[in-house]
Amino acid sequence: MNENENGNEEAVFEFGVVITKRSMQENDESSDCTNVLIKEFKKVGFVVEKVIGIADDFIKLAAPLDTLGRAAAELQIMKRTHIGMDLQFEMEEVEAFVKQPDGSVFSWCERFHCYCHLIYGIANNSKSAKTLKFDGKEIFWEIGENLIQKLESENIVKQVFPLHDEKTRKKLLRTWALRWWDCTNQPIDDIYPYYGAKIAIYFAFLGMYTRWLFVLAAFGLTLQLVDFRSMKLVVLPVFFVVVILWAVMFCQFWKRKNAALLARWPLSSTVEAHSGYKIPGRKDSSLQSPMELIKVLEADRVKGKQVFQRYEWLGRFMRFRNDAIIIFSIICLQLPFELAYAHLYGVISSDVMKFGLTAVYLFSIQYITKIGGQVSVTLIKNENNENTEKRADSLVYKVFGLYFMQTYIGIFYHALLHRNFSTLRKILIQRLLLSEVLENLVENSLPYLKYSYKKYSVRHKKREKGESTDKFQFSSRVEKEYLKPTYSASIGEELEDGLFDDFLELALQFGMILMFACAFPPAFAFAALNNIMEIRTDALKLLVIFKRPVPRAAGTVGAWLNIFQFLTLMSICTNCALLAWLYDEEGKWKVEPGLKAILIMEHVLLLFKFGFPRLVPSEPAWVRANRAKHTTQAQNLCSKKLLRTISGGEKRGIKMKTG
């Protein structure tokens, strides 16, 4: 939604419906599928525009504020009010609710759910079935049947997808994606209303992470460029201590920043729970839902209590079983495979053989990871996770275990076997440079190549039909967006979107530079430089290459923060081992003063790792103060209203008695 000159919200086309192009025109336009669909959309309250494309036809939809407000009320969306309470939305009291940073009443996530509720809520409410026609074919629209789902099953409606708002998209290109000189500065408050909380949180996290890397990048480059000679055995432990302190503080201060962002944005925590439809591709758990259990508890408290207990412990058992299956598979299947590759790579002397072995390894590991992701998704379906985000977190933990083994086991093997810092540095340089450069190249070029190929395919089909392709230019923005690839995850796209791959890349980078910090200090400079590029390339990818992503209501990085904390813990152990090998060059493992200091340092750092979060609160004081203020205001308001109700009831009772 954009504001016009008068300050009122102006409807923007935010959804597109793809209709298969017909080969013949229907004589009776009143029963034509496309015309009926447009008519039904207008009945719902949409502003509709039909676009004739090259290969398909399109219907663009915009929803005025009144239409969105009616849908929000039907969905019982809870929105934040000016006194801090989340109340069910009512269109008549729209001024009582907090507006978004861009001035609109509803966030993009709320609008998305309202659009889907209205689009997929169109049904045949007449007393008889209707006959629709399309390309000479008759389609029977039964009583109570959903229109969009009926047309999708008949392959008349190909896809329903969110559209980019050109005005906002161009503004973000100018102020965000193309501002390379700003390094880590980003308009997060403009990203949130356009893409939703989850993507905005990702870029806020990436920006903060990159800014914090600058300190360690400078320290690491100093260690690399300056020859400390005999002082190196003192400087490296100091660097290691600084790295761990940095990692622990970063994770804790990110929690504070995250809390500050959420306090600034009026998020609706119940939007997914109250949505009246299912997002395509997302499947709910096969276990009984909590709402059904509550109904059982209300009907029979004794039976309900037993059902709740069974639900709780069965869910815990299923999660434990699923985690055990994944861990067992990693240890028994993937670990031997990774160790065999690392061993053969070290034994083979021929470069050609090494290249061939690496090619086979990379090809095989893709299938192993894909199979592991599919198994994880299947297992998660039987878990009683609260919502989609919890299921997505469960997937992240399981799949990250596969990637952790795939990424680090070879490095661990070389570090343990050779105990040679120069060899370890070479491996780290190869992994950092090759992985960062190749991953950025693939993740940005592959979607563009897919988009270009789709455009070529459309023109090629027209050429095969004998039509001239000179006049076929993709002038329609909606058709261009339809041909763009979806922002989806490489694994488990039923539960995750493209943020899975972006967060995974950051987590693997974080583990690489942290766990082997003592072996290659300049790695932090490589990471900082890569992340500066990543901020802008990821922005360009979202604004130019992909369709507008489906918004997610989650306001945190979820499971990824726990993974970053786990990698911090691992880095304490790995760097202490590296320092011990550096001091104990002869391999006698004597407890000399240097090794004693390393052991003491390890215990102190572990104490700091678990103690620092208790010293520094996860929320800033002003966030807690605002919440306390709003809670007090809400309590006072409810108390006054309750007292008026009670006193009014007593007065009516007295009048009735005296009368």
Side-chain angles (χ1 to χ4, degrees):
M1 305 289 286
N2 292 335
E3 288 192 0
N4 57 23
E5 294 178 356
N6 298 324
N8 300 320
E9 289 195 2
E10 183 181 357
V12 176
F13 291 107
E14 294 186 298
F15 258 75
V17 181
V18 187
I19 309 292
T20 303
K21 188 173 277 294
R22 292 172 296 189
S23 57
M24 59 180 289
Q25 191 71 28
E26 299 296 336
N27 295 326
D28 185 6
E29 292 188 357
S30 62
S31 61
D32 180 73
C33 276
T34 306
N35 292 335
V36 170
L37 189 58
I38 290 173
K39 184 180 176 182
E40 292 294 332
F41 281 149
K42 288 181 177 178
K43 276 186 185 178
V44 168
F46 284 126
V47 177
V48 182
E49 181 180 321
K50 185 179 178 182
V51 178
I52 306 299
I54 295 174
D56 298 289
D57 294 335
F58 302 87
I59 298 173
K60 295 197 297 183
L61 302 174
L65 180 59
D66 289 342
T67 304
L68 290 173
R70 189 179 70 252
E74 291 172 0
L75 289 171
Q76 299 180 344
I77 289 177
M78 305 291 286
K79 287 185 63 62
R80 188 180 300 175
T81 58
H82 290 291
I83 62 169
M85 284 183 68
D86 286 351
L87 297 177
Q88 188 175 317
F89 181 79
E90 292 181 11
M91 191 61 201
E92 296 78 11
E93 307 296 336
V94 66
E95 294 300 325
F97 297 95
V98 178
K99 291 192 175 182
Q100 302 298 314
D102 62 347
S104 59
V105 174
F106 297 103
S107 67
W108 167 228
C109 188
E110 291 165 344
R111 293 201 306 276
F112 178 87
H113 283 80
C114 289
Y115 268 100
C116 289
H117 172 72
L118 294 169
I119 292 169
Y120 285 93
I122 297 173
N124 183 4
N125 296 321
S126 64
K127 296 180 180 179
S128 61
K130 295 183 179 180
T131 303
L132 309 179
K133 294 180 180 179
F134 187 86
D135 239 0
K137 179 183 176 183
E138 288 190 347
I139 298 150
F140 295 100
W141 186 19
E142 302 294 341
I143 300 172
E145 189 174 18
N146 186 284
L147 179 58
I148 291 291
Q149 290 178 355
K150 178 68 176 180
L151 297 181
E152 284 177 338
S153 66
E154 297 288 341
N155 202 30
I156 296 171
V157 171
K158 286 186 173 181
Q159 193 177 13
V160 179
F161 66 99
L163 295 173
H164 278 288
D165 172 15
E166 276 304 288
K167 183 178 178 182
T168 309
R169 190 182 74 89
K170 288 178 179 177
K171 179 187 174 184
L172 286 173
L173 270 172
R174 198 170 54 250
T175 60
W176 177 33
L178 299 178
R179 292 181 70 89
W180 295 89
W181 57 89
D182 273 353
C183 288
T184 61
N185 292 329
Q186 303 172 84
I188 299 298
D189 286 332
D190 292 333
I191 299 170
Y192 158 68
Y194 189 67
Y195 282 115
K198 190 75 174 182
I199 288 179
I201 288 292
Y202 163 72
F203 281 101
F205 181 85
L206 177 58
M208 179 176 171
Y209 171 48
T210 306
R211 282 193 297 275
W212 277 56
L213 276 174
F214 291 157
V215 176
L216 294 183
F219 198 168
L221 285 175
T222 303
L223 285 177
Q224 182 69 17
L225 298 175
V226 177
D227 186 9
F228 288 96
R229 299 182 185 277
S230 59
M231 289 293 294
K232 192 171 184 178
L233 295 177
V234 177
V235 175
L236 269 180
V238 171
F239 178 69
F240 161 54
V241 171
V242 171
V243 165
I244 300 303
L245 297 180
W246 172 90
V248 174
M249 292 172 68
F250 166 73
C251 290
Q252 191 63 19
F253 278 97
W254 162 251
K255 292 179 185 177
R256 293 172 63 84
K257 182 175 179 62
N258 199 164
L261 288 172
L262 295 184
R264 208 159 70 204
W265 300 336
L267 292 180
S268 174
S269 58
T270 58
V271 68
E272 284 204 25
H274 289 83
S275 60
Y277 73 101
K278 292 181 181 179
I279 296 175
R282 293 188 181 177
K283 298 180 180 178
D284 293 330
S285 171
S286 61
L287 299 179
Q288 202 171 7
S289 69
M291 292 304 295
E292 292 173 352
L293 295 175
I294 291 172
K295 291 178 182 177
V296 174
L297 183 62
E298 289 174 350
D300 187 343
R301 288 193 171 275
V302 176
K303 182 182 176 183
K305 185 178 179 181
Q306 294 174 351
V307 171
F308 259 105
Q309 288 177 339
R310 186 165 62 250
Y311 175 82
E312 178 189 3
W313 289 107
L314 179 61
R316 290 180 182 275
F317 171 75
M318 296 297 285
R319 281 198 294 271
F320 176 78
R321 186 207 65 175
N322 294 345
D323 293 341
I325 289 172
I326 294 296
I327 293 170
F328 183 79
S329 301
I330 290 172
I331 294 173
C332 297
L333 299 176
Q334 192 177 9
L335 180 59
F337 178 79
E338 298 286 348
L339 289 175
Y341 165 72
H343 176 71
L344 288 174
Y345 191 87
V347 171
I348 294 172
S349 57
S350 171
D351 291 337
V352 177
M353 292 289 289
K354 284 184 177 181
F355 179 81
L357 179 67
T358 303
V360 172
Y361 166 76
L362 292 174
F363 181 79
S364 303
I365 204 67
Q366 293 295 325
Y367 279 94
I368 291 174
T369 309
K370 190 173 182 179
I371 292 169
Q374 291 172 347
V375 171
S376 299
V377 171
T378 304
L379 292 173
I380 289 168
K381 289 176 184 177
N382 296 317
E383 295 180 358
N384 61 347
N385 294 296
E386 298 171 14
N387 51 42
T388 304
E389 290 299 328
K390 293 294 183 182
R391 290 193 285 276
D393 287 346
S394 182
L395 177 70
V396 167
Y397 288 129
K398 291 173 175 61
V399 176
F400 181 77
L402 301 172
Y403 278 98
F404 181 86
M405 193 66 66
Q406 171 187 330
T407 305
Y408 302 122
I409 194 63
I411 303 175
F412 288 147
Y413 178 83
H414 285 288
L416 287 167
L417 184 67
H418 298 292
R419 293 177 61 184
N420 188 315
F421 267 47
S422 60
T423 305
L424 188 56
R425 285 193 193 101
K426 288 178 183 177
I427 296 170
L428 290 170
I429 291 171
Q430 290 173 1
R431 292 288 182 104
L432 278 171
L433 291 179
L434 289 176
S435 63
E436 299 290 354
V437 172
L438 288 177
E439 282 178 10
N440 280 329
L441 187 64
V442 169
E443 75 173 281
N444 292 302
S445 61
L446 196 59
Y448 179 75
L449 292 174
K450 287 181 180 178
Y451 172 51
S452 301
Y453 177 74
K454 283 186 178 180
K455 290 199 295 185
Y456 167 78
S457 298
V458 171
R459 290 195 177 98
H460 183 67
K461 286 178 183 177
K462 291 291 181 181
R463 193 182 296 115
E464 285 181 343
K465 293 179 180 179
E467 301 178 29
S468 173
T469 56
D470 295 336
K471 61 181 179 180
F472 290 129
Q473 297 296 326
F474 293 95
S475 57
S476 169
R477 170 59 59 182
V478 64
E479 186 163 21
K480 288 180 181 178
E481 289 195 31
Y482 169 59
L483 295 174
K484 289 178 181 179
T486 306
Y487 185 59
S488 57
S490 58
I491 292 175
E493 60 182 13
E494 301 94 332
L495 300 172
E496 272 284 357
D497 56 17
L499 284 177
F500 173 83
D501 298 289
D502 292 330
F503 269 120
L504 177 65
E505 185 181 347
L506 283 184
L508 294 177
Q509 179 202 83
F510 185 83
M512 187 81 71
I513 62 177
L514 226 68
M515 288 195 291
F516 306 99
C518 292
F520 189 52
F524 293 92
F526 283 109
L529 184 62
N530 172 79
N531 290 354
I532 292 172
M533 300 288 291
E534 189 80 19
I535 290 172
R536 306 304 161 183
T537 55
D538 281 355
L540 280 170
K541 180 174 66 178
L542 284 171
L543 289 166
V544 178
I545 299 176
F546 286 112
K547 288 186 179 77
R548 191 175 183 181
V550 172
R552 294 168 63 181
T556 66
V557 297
W560 294 107
L561 184 61
N562 292 334
I563 287 172
F564 272 69
Q565 292 175 326
F566 164 74
L567 292 172
T568 302
L569 187 62
M570 286 289 296
S571 66
I572 296 175
C573 303
T574 54
N575 281 285
C576 282
L578 290 173
L579 288 174
W581 295 333
L582 187 65
Y583 278 97
D584 188 44
E585 293 180 358
E586 297 179 1
K588 295 179 180 179
W589 295 98
K590 293 180 179 179
V591 184
E592 296 174 355
L595 295 178
K596 285 181 182 177
I598 292 170
L599 290 172
I600 293 170
M601 186 167 54
E602 179 188 30
H603 285 73
V604 171
L605 289 174
L606 287 171
L607 180 64
F608 180 79
K609 163 71 178 70
F610 293 106
F612 186 75
R614 300 188 178 278
L615 296 175
V616 178
S618 299
E619 292 181 331
W622 67 268
V623 172
R624 297 197 301 274
N626 275 349
R627 187 167 58 248
K629 175 187 172 184
H630 289 148
T631 302
T632 303
Q633 287 177 341
Q635 286 176 346
N636 291 339
L637 188 66
C638 291
S639 299
K640 289 177 182 177
K641 189 174 181 180
L642 186 61
L643 288 172
R644 286 196 206 101
T645 305
I646 295 170
S647 60
E650 288 179 351
K651 287 177 181 178
R652 283 195 298 271
I654 292 169
K655 286 181 180 179
M656 288 176 67
K657 288 179 180 179
T658 56

